[in-house]
Amino acid sequence: MSMAEFRFDRLFIGGEWVAPIDGGLRDSIDPATGQPWTQVAFGGVRDVDRAVAAARAAFEGPWRKMAPWERAGLLRKFAELYATQVEALAQVESRDNGRAIRESRGDIGLHPQYWHWFASLADKADGRTIPMDDSVHAFTSRLPVGVVGTITPWNVPLMAATWKLGPALAAGCTVVLKPAEQTPASSLALAHLFEQAGFPPGVVNVVPGDGPVAGARLVAHPDVDKIAFTGEGATAKTILKTGADTLKRFSFELGGKAPHIIFADADIENAVNAATGSAWALCGQSCALGSRVLVERPVYDRVVEAFRRNAGRVRVGNQMDPATHMGPQAHAEQLAKTLSYVDIGRDEGAELVAGGGRIDREGFAGGYFVEPTVFAGVAPQMRIAQEEIFGPVAAIIPFDGEDEAVAIANGTPYGLAAGLWTGDVGRAHRVANRIEAGMVWVNTYRYIRWSTPYGGVKTSGWGRENGVEALDSYLETRTTVISTTGKFADPFAN
């Protein structure tokens, strides 16, 4: 399919493309122009209700009864279909959220491997035998949680959907997907592939809508068994409160303020390549962004200068241009937030080394473009070093020795990811072991694959995505005890 062949003006519910009942059509904005590029169907409360009903019917019917190896076969078929649509999906996602097309192609090009990985896990949800005595046979079984509501973010809609839907479907759950209201188009494109792959009706349902309306209803719905959410911590707290009445299960992938630690004995050239690349990837809109760059003092000035130099080498432009390194921010609110933090950094006394402004010259007018930005002389307790900006703003912090590096690295509420560069293998192990993060990269950065568990500690989230651990939050454990004698003593014999 081409981008033009995808349909965005209908919801995908129960295997059919249907008009919203209490929603309507909404413009989807191209962040490079600030103008609409297509219209997307938005659902409301009643649309969520019928999607949940379709998911429940599919779970109680064909999907739950389908043998695990058959589910695996459908997932493999979907993976193969996905691989043929990488370009079309990348075009939709980049148009919708402003991500540079070269990044979208690279990311989405890996997604089929994730789907193959989850397919390989579909028949691996086995239990265990529990040794007791000769009178009983005790064992556990792993069972799907049920209907899963997935709420995905605007920065990487397709990746987040892959990471959530893949293990949910492999586990035998059915899904209602509510993408972020700013970037709904790619999730509807995904629905076309589920339809073509032949998934039973209702197994996957896609209902774009506003968070306070469609999202809130999905969370509160009594027939939804689990919510899988990626987004802001404040929203996660609201989700917890809303879902408490029905005692749902939850998994959260939330924010981050990742430290990227560079020791003086590191390969500085490669460290800078990784640190500058990760600081401005996705226009800074990544939970694993290495936005706090901790540099040992002997090489601090050298690294600051390298950041300044590389900021000037970033080609900022229209996200659909293959030559573009960095596209616009995904929406106007995020642009305003990023620029506000530039002002905060200045007010706090940090040194603005590069960037810091909106780009609105000819060819950029109306778009949400911002310059790659570098602050030096940043103190660990400054707001630009503590709070998630979600923009291309790097804060470079000096340190002396391992203990101070670890203290600064762990000195935020977040704990999603971290990176460190050193030529000392002993130091690599020592420091990595002390960092409070769900993932630590040593002498590399943002290496994420289908088989490596991903998730945070502290306020960065609950649970893990990817790896064999991804199945855990979509499965329940049931214990079965069977008597081998059929005898039960009379309690009133004496």
Side-chain angles (χ1 to χ4, degrees):
M1 299 177 72
S2 68
M3 185 170 71
E5 292 177 281
F6 289 121
R7 184 173 189 173
F8 308 120
D9 63 347
R10 292 289 187 271
L11 310 174
F12 187 66
I13 298 175
E16 298 181 351
W17 293 94
V18 298
I21 295 175
D22 54 0
L25 293 179
R26 181 105 36 110
D27 288 338
S28 193
I29 304 301
D30 182 342
T33 64
Q35 299 298 314
W37 73 277
T38 192
Q39 286 197 314
V40 177
F42 266 55
V45 169
R46 287 186 290 170
D47 298 302
V48 170
D49 286 350
R50 59 176 171 164
V52 172
R56 175 59 61 186
F59 178 69
E60 299 294 350
W63 195 242
R64 190 176 193 176
K65 296 173 184 176
M66 187 177 289
W69 60 267
E70 291 181 291
R71 288 201 305 270
L74 268 178
L75 287 167
R76 281 192 288 270
K77 182 178 179 181
F78 180 82
E80 291 164 359
L81 178 61
Y82 201 116
T84 70
Q85 300 300 315
V86 167
E87 179 61 25
L89 292 170
Q91 293 275 337
V92 172
E93 181 147 305
S94 286
R95 180 67 72 191
D96 216 27
N97 76 349
R99 187 178 187 183
I101 189 68
R102 62 162 61 191
E103 280 190 352
S104 293
R105 285 169 176 157
D107 175 20
I108 295 169
L110 290 176
H111 292 181
Q113 296 304 321
Y114 284 88
W115 287 100
H116 278 298
W117 168 257
F118 295 128
S120 76
L121 299 180
D123 58 359
K124 307 300 188 298
D126 50 1
R128 62 189 180 92
T129 299
I130 303 172
M132 293 298 296
D133 56 57
D134 290 343
S135 68
V136 297
H137 175 57
F139 61 94
T140 62
S141 307
R142 308 296 302 282
L143 306 172
V145 165
V147 175
V148 177
T150 59
I151 302 175
T152 51
W154 45 260
N155 61 331
V156 283
L158 285 173
M159 185 182 80
T162 293
W163 288 14
K164 288 171 172 51
L165 270 63
L169 297 173
C173 299
T174 56
V175 176
V176 178
L177 168 60
K178 206 260 348 148
E181 49 265 47
Q182 299 91 343
T183 56
S186 58
S187 296
L188 288 167
L190 193 66
H192 283 273
L193 304 190
F194 282 108
E195 182 183 33
Q196 289 185 26
F199 278 72
V203 171
V204 176
N205 308 271
V206 181
V207 182
D210 291 314
V213 179
R217 178 54 181 164
L218 190 60
V219 172
H221 201 294
D223 222 16
V224 173
D225 301 292
K226 171 186 163 59
I227 295 292
F229 170 76
T230 295
E232 294 184 355
T235 305
K237 293 176 184 178
T238 300
I239 287 172
L240 278 173
K241 294 172 185 176
T242 304
D245 288 341
T246 52
L247 289 177
K248 287 179 171 55
R249 287 99 178 119
F250 297 96
S251 57
F252 295 126
E253 198 274 277
L254 306 176
K257 195 68 178 177
H260 203 153
I261 306 168
I262 302 175
F263 285 96
D265 63 1
D267 181 326
I268 301 301
E269 180 180 356
N270 281 299
V272 166
N273 287 342
T276 55
S278 67
W280 302 315
L282 284 83
C283 198
Q285 299 165 140
S286 168
C287 299
L289 189 75
S291 56
R292 290 188 298 151
V293 185
L294 282 55
V295 185
E296 202 164 19
R297 287 189 190 274
V299 294
Y300 185 80
D301 290 342
R302 178 181 171 187
V303 171
V304 169
E305 173 57 25
F307 262 79
R308 185 201 62 76
R309 182 184 68 249
N310 279 1
R313 297 172 61 206
V314 178
R315 290 193 295 269
V316 181
N318 188 289
Q319 71 271 25
M320 307 309 289
D321 183 346
T324 291
H325 292 138
M326 191 177 88
Q329 300 261 257
H331 51 89
E333 292 81 3
Q334 181 55 49
L335 173 66
K337 179 183 177 184
T338 296
L339 295 176
S340 75
Y341 272 97
V342 174
D343 292 338
I344 289 168
R346 286 195 183 103
D347 293 343
E348 290 181 315
E351 177 191 355
L352 183 63
V353 173
R358 180 176 183 178
I359 305 174
D360 57 4
R361 62 181 180 268
E362 184 178 356
F364 292 82
Y368 311 138
F369 294 95
V370 64
E371 297 171 318
T373 299
V374 182
F375 279 103
V378 177
Q381 296 308 312
M382 288 182 178
R383 288 182 63 189
I384 60 171
Q386 286 288 316
E387 300 172 13
E388 187 175 41
I389 299 171
F390 231 56
V393 180
I396 310 182
I397 304 170
F399 72 86
D400 293 297
E402 292 179 19
D403 289 344
E404 186 179 14
V406 170
I408 296 171
N410 293 340
T412 76
Y414 298 105
L416 181 58
L420 68 97
W421 291 77
T422 177
D424 183 335
V425 67
R427 168 179 282 163
H429 283 281
R430 286 193 305 272
V431 174
N433 190 54
R434 296 173 66 190
I435 291 176
E436 297 168 352
M439 176 169 277
V440 180
W441 294 291
V442 179
N443 292 338
T444 187
Y445 201 80
R446 290 190 84 247
Y447 185 90
I448 301 169
R449 292 296 186 271
W450 41 91
S451 55
T452 55
Y454 182 90
V457 301
K458 301 196 288 189
T459 63
S460 285
W462 294 357
R464 292 295 179 266
E465 297 181 304
N466 303 329
V468 295
E469 291 82 356
L471 281 183
D472 290 343
S473 68
Y474 298 97
L475 293 167
E476 299 281 16
T477 297
R478 179 178 62 199
T479 300
T480 303
V481 179
I482 300 176
S483 171
T484 59
T485 66
K487 299 185 183 301
F488 202 99
D490 181 353
F492 311 111
N494 297 313

